Amino acid sequence: MAAQLRNLAIIAHVDHGKTTLVDQMLAQGGAFRENEARAERAMDSGDLERERGITILAKCTSILRQADGQEYRINVVDTPGHADFGGEVERILGMVDSCVLLVDAAEGPMPQTKFVLSKALARGLRPMVVLNKVDRPNADPDQALSDIFDMFLALGASDAQADFPILYASGKEGWAVKALGDEKKDLTPLFDLIVAHTPEPAPVKHRNDPFAFLVTMLDADPFLGRVLTGRIESGKVKVGDNVKAITREGREIERGRLTKLLAYRGLKRVPVDSAEAGDIVAIAGLVEPTVSDTIGTLDLIDPIPSTAIDPPTLAITVSINDSPLAGRAGDKVQSRVIRDRLMREAESNVAIRVRETDNRDAYEVAGRGELQLGVLIETMRREGFEVSISRPKVLVRQEDGHMLEPIEEVVIDVDNEFSGIVIEKMSIRKGELTDMRPSGGDKTRVVFHAPSRGLIGYHGEFLTDTRGSGVMNRLFHGWAAWKGEIPGRRNGALISNDTGQSTAYALWNLEERGTMFIADGEDVYGGMIIGENSRGEDLEVNPLKGKKLTNVRASGKDESIRLTPPRRLTLEQAIAWIEDDELVEVTPAAIRLRKQYLDSNERKRQSRAKEALG
């Protein structure tokens, strides 16, 4: 008897334990051999995902389960928790029939929990709620459950959706129970609930109709070419079938033959000869189709409706690296190569949009937030690209003659002693306080509605203000009238006025001027930013100056100079730190800051022209 299908997604706020729970589901679902080496967080396969401890791309897996003499194949999709990657979650929910909403029993529902739940409810899914990390000493499952129910009602859940089943679990320890007093053994209660609560995929009823398939994810394989993943919405398909692809508008884009059909079996994609409606599969053999396109039989006319994705709110300009040190570390430096890479990204990632600018060597890349854009640039850097990045700017829109800007809901958990400075800084950034209450353990939870542009670059300052103990979560809230001018960076830049290698003697003398971004012996050039001035204005300095030697003063004295270690900015910190007239130079070997105009006379000319324009 063929296995029955169950398709579900696991959705939650970042760090609430989605990927760890999937690890245990795979282990207990027989995806590994007894002697097989297992990686922790097996679903986070990318280097960046492992380094940062976050999920960036949604990924599928499959688990076989026996229940009441019937075999079930459970297709599980692990989704990202960051709002910046919300476009992934929105697409994935279109190919599943239910979802597990995972909530940390200590933190309770957070902004991203609200975001992913609203998308799931809008699609008519009936979530199962799993309270994770109930074994933590500060867990408060009763309060978390009360908050979850309030959130369901606030998001307009129907009676059927609000009557959700509940499990208490520890993803790390690998157990789930219906009541906290039950024996904590394994994840059987979770598997049983998934089988009972998840409906059979709706397309199963259409197995005898002509083949149709909606592309949800896209990736490239060096041997197979373009690989398209999605759910078969009707009919059956075999390797070698002739198919055609049409866009969302119904325009035909390609006809071809399916060369490979891949199904998910545990963590692997396994070639199969055929598949039928309801199953989540990957197909190869077509060159043109992209996300949201429909693939079907040659007489297919109507495309499968696909979800509209929330628009991007932030944009950066990516241009060629034209600094004096260009081309030393990377091998992909031409604008044509950069353009091809950005267009490829926009094709597979529907939340990113790329637009050509008036300058032929620069492209505007729009996305959901600093993290998403930072991850894209970091990925390009590791691939050998050299680029220059501008300061992020928010995308505004006009409505009835009024300019509207994106507003974010900001939830901050902070020690009581630091709540004052956080509220002060957020009010400077035009944030409106909407809620403030104690959150246990001498902490306060404050909620703001603040413009996105006011939050650019605030995270680093926030961690400094709260001595690293604060937790800030952001989520797109809506559009509101332009809030007026927001003050930018308070400190000026220390700018190198010459090209060469920095010396310890020069940097030692400059330390009283501000914080250094470079160490001695590093290549610098005129117009490069080498540090942050302790005062408000930019200052041109000479980091190359060596000690003048005489018969009496020996050069060995330089060895006694003790420099303060430089402040090394990460890519996200660098992008957030710069002002409108500055750029981040990104190469595989280094991240440098520079002025847009390297020549000091040109900078003065541009400054005067700007003042004249008012």
Side-chain angles (χ1 to χ4, degrees), residues 193-210:
L193 179 63
I194 288 169
V195 167
H197 189 76
T198 307
E200 189 175 57
V204 168
K205 302 189 197 77
H206 305 290
R207 279 187 175 164
N208 297 322
D209 295 352

Side-chain angles (χ1 to χ4, degrees), residues 52-95:
R52 294 167 182 250
I54 60 171
T55 303
I56 293 170
L57 297 172
K59 295 173 201 72
C60 295
T61 185
S62 172
I63 298 163
L64 276 176
R65 195 75 187 168
Q66 294 280 349
D68 303 328
Q70 170 66 49
E71 190 177 45
Y72 291 89
R73 167 158 284 112
I74 303 170
N75 287 321
V76 181
V77 189
D78 182 23
T79 61
H82 272 277
D84 282 24
F85 309 112
E88 289 278 316
V89 183
E90 291 175 64
R91 283 185 321 195
I92 296 320
L93 290 175
M95 66 179 186

Side-chain angles (χ1 to χ4, degrees), residues 213 285 396 487 541:
F213 170 94
V396 296
V541 295

Side-chain angles (χ1 to χ4, degrees), residues 8 97-103 117 121 125-132 145 148-149 152 158-169 176-179 189-199:
L8 83 148
D97 307 286
S98 183
C99 59
V100 171
L101 179 70
L102 206 60
V103 180
L117 179 61
L121 295 177
L125 302 182
R126 290 179 56 201
M128 297 162 264
V129 173
V130 176
L131 284 163
N132 196 24
L145 194 56
I148 292 166
F149 188 69
F152 266 79
S158 67
D159 291 348
Q161 289 172 325
D163 187 20
F164 49 82
I166 304 146
L167 287 179
Y168 302 91
V177 291
K178 289 182 179 177
L190 176 60
F191 286 120
D192 291 345
L193 179 63
I194 288 169
V195 167
H197 189 76
T198 307

Side-chain angles (χ1 to χ4, degrees), residues 349-384:
N349 188 342
V350 289
I352 279 184
R353 291 183 193 164
V354 179
R355 185 177 68 84
E356 296 193 14
T357 62
D358 298 336
N359 176 357
R360 292 189 59 185
D361 292 333
Y363 306 93
E364 186 181 89
V365 182
R368 287 281 180 85
E370 291 161 83
L371 178 65
Q372 185 190 30
L373 296 171
V375 164
L376 167 60
I377 301 303
E378 178 64 30
T379 308
M380 289 175 64
R381 181 169 95 95
R382 292 178 183 208
E383 291 170 4

Side-chain angles (χ1 to χ4, degrees), residues 34-53:
E34 282 297 317
N35 62 343
E36 188 173 347
R38 305 173 196 172
E40 187 186 346
R41 300 198 334 272
M43 297 293 278
D44 285 349
S45 50
D47 291 343
L48 274 174
E49 292 181 314
R50 291 204 160 280
E51 284 172 30
R52 294 167 182 250

Side-chain angles (χ1 to χ4, degrees), residues 304-323:
I304 300 166
S306 59
T307 321
I309 301 294
D310 286 350
T313 57
L314 207 63
I316 55 173
T317 302
V318 178
S319 54
I320 59 167
N321 180 16
D322 57 359
S323 84

